[in-house]
Amino acid sequence: MTIDWWTLGLQTVNAAILIWLLARFLFRPVSKIIEKRQALAHADLDAAEAAKAAAEAERAAAEAERAEISASRAALLDAAQADAGRETERLMQQAQAGIAEERRRAEAALARAEAERRRALDAQAGQLAADIAERLLRRLPDAALTAGFIDGLVAAVAELPAPVRDRLGSDGPVPVRAARMLLPEERATLEARLAETLGRTLPLEISEDPDLIAGLELDATNAIVRNHFRADLARITAELTRHD
Amino acid sequence: MQSPLEHVTLFHIGPVPIAEPVVVTWLIMAGLGAFAFLATRKLSILPSKTQTVLELFVTVLDDQIRDTMRRDPAPFRPLIGTLLLFVLIANWSSLIPGIEPPTAHIETDAALAVWVFVATIVFGISGRGLKGYLETFVEPSWVMMPLNLIEQITRTFSLIIRLFGNVMSGVFVVGIVLSLAGLFVPIPLMALELLTGAVQAYIFAILATVFIGAAAGESEEIPLTAKESD
């Protein structure tokens, strides 16, 4: 085996030429296009990063705005709730005041109605009592309708003020109404007693009035002296009504 | 059968005899040059299928150089890539009837190894400086200097002999079987030669990378690959 030095030299040159050829036409263009694509990819990535950062910033801004809106909404809601609470309280107080007023009025009306009812009942009771008394007294004998009342009438006239007593009968006969017509002896007794009390004779005009039930009534122009059951019942009824 | 150890001069250019391996090398150079020129004429950002294959090849080559040398692969890419492509195609050229692979001749392997040897020195000096490169011969001590110097020669010879022996023996075996057995019998052996040729091309290129990388030393700033940068 021998070495062909010409061939060795030529192959050495050939190898150098081939290295240059492939470097010039294969490796350099391909590596350049790879680097160019990488540069573009990096640029795209940088742009994407920038866009992402911008989007993040916008998102943060939107979040802040949303938080601000939420806070504002919460504040508005709180204010509205406070207003509603105050309005509710005012309306409640107003309603309670109205209810209290209505209740007071109702109670007053009820009290008035109750008083009216009681007055009506008292009046009815008084009337009933008067009717009962009248019915009972009408069963008395006729003598009892005037007997005993003459003294009372004379005593009442005696209690009149002196000027009033003095003027009695100055205008003519004094009207006297009796539950039944007085008998002559009863009339004489009445006139005698009055003359004794007044110190002078008093002319009388006696008439019958069954409404008096029992008793007498002196009806002068300046004074009225009642001594009969009708007046007593009326006074009792009035007293009952007044005390109630 | 013709022995690969014999030199067949096809013609002369002046006083220079042109042997068959030289002519086959020219053909391979023409084919590779034409392919490179045509394939890289219209490179674009959106790659075609051919461009994709080329970019894949360059990317894998760069990754291999980067992983082995721990340096930027750009300065070494033309030499290592050319060695890989040429040795691979030269080895596989035996599939063409009548063609004997140039790498089956020791002159071709020696020429390739010479450039690896020169690149080792050039990249060693550029990477470490002249003083730094020379200091690598006395590491770990002066006593080792003779062995380091011999290693420079012997590993270059090992490159030559490994490639030459493997390819030449394959050609021999296929030739002997063909002469003894018949036309189709060597086909399995030729398929095996395909594998052997690819493996030998890879071994030659990776050993060249290791030798140059060891001479140049590791870079402080290791460029990241696209995958790592993600």
Side-chain angles (χ1 to χ4, degrees), chain A residues 146 173-184 186-188 190-191 194 202-209 216-217:
Chain A
T146 55
V174 176
V176 173
R177 291 184 290 141
R180 68 170 172 78
M181 202 58 188
L182 293 177
L183 298 174
E186 289 175 337
R187 177 173 182 143
L190 177 61
E191 288 174 347
L194 285 173
L202 183 66
L204 299 176
E205 182 182 339
I206 297 172
S207 61
E208 183 181 355
D209 185 358
L216 302 167
E217 180 176 311

Side-chain angles (χ1 to χ4, degrees), chain A residues 82-104:
Chain A
D83 289 344
R86 283 194 293 273
E87 185 64 17
T88 303
E89 186 69 20
R90 189 185 66 76
L91 289 174
M92 286 291 288
Q93 288 177 353
Q94 190 176 1
Q96 285 174 349
I99 291 169
E101 179 65 20
E102 287 296 322
R103 183 174 180 177
R104 189 183 59 75

Side-chain angles (χ1 to χ4, degrees), chain A residues 36-238:
Chain A
K36 187 176 178 183
R37 185 182 296 110
Q38 286 178 342
L40 284 174
H42 283 140
D44 288 344
L45 284 174
D46 291 343
E49 283 292 328
K52 183 182 176 185
E56 287 287 336
E58 286 185 7
R59 192 178 68 82
E63 282 288 330
E65 189 175 352
R66 193 179 68 80
E68 189 176 345
I69 290 171
S70 295
S72 174
R73 176 174 168 273
L76 286 174
L77 278 176
D78 290 344
Q81 284 179 346
D83 289 344
R86 283 194 293 273
E87 185 64 17
T88 303
E89 186 69 20
R90 189 185 66 76
L91 289 174
M92 286 291 288
Q93 288 177 353
Q94 190 176 1
Q96 285 174 349
I99 291 169
E101 179 65 20
E102 287 296 322
R103 183 174 180 177
R104 189 183 59 75
R105 287 178 185 172
E107 286 177 350
L110 194 63
R112 283 195 302 275
E114 179 67 16
E116 194 69 28
R117 189 180 64 81
R118 292 194 68 170
R119 275 196 298 275
L121 285 175
D122 289 343
Q124 287 180 354
Q127 188 62 43
L128 182 61
D131 290 346
I132 293 170
E134 186 178 350
R135 286 174 180 271
L136 290 175
L137 289 173
R138 286 190 190 282
R139 294 185 179 184
L140 292 174
D142 286 346
L145 293 179
T146 55
F149 289 94
I150 293 172
D151 293 340
L153 181 67
V154 173
V157 169
E159 290 176 359
L160 290 173
V164 174
R165 284 200 311 263
D166 293 343
R167 285 191 61 199
L168 286 175
S170 58
D171 298 332
V174 176
V176 173
R177 291 184 290 141
R180 68 170 172 78
M181 202 58 188
L182 293 177
L183 298 174
E185 59 269 25
E186 289 175 337
R187 177 173 182 143
T189 302
L190 177 61
E191 288 174 347
R193 293 289 307 274
L194 285 173
E196 183 182 349
T197 300
L198 297 173
R200 57 185 172 89
T201 302
L202 183 66
L204 299 176
E205 182 182 339
I206 297 172
S207 61
E208 183 181 355
D209 185 358
D211 286 343
L212 300 181
I213 304 172
L216 302 167
E217 180 176 311
L218 188 150
D219 192 8
T221 54
N222 60 340
I224 297 174
V225 179
R226 298 185 181 97
N227 185 23
H228 51 79
F229 280 179
R230 173 64 63 192
D232 293 341
L233 288 173
R235 190 166 55 251
I236 290 169
T237 302

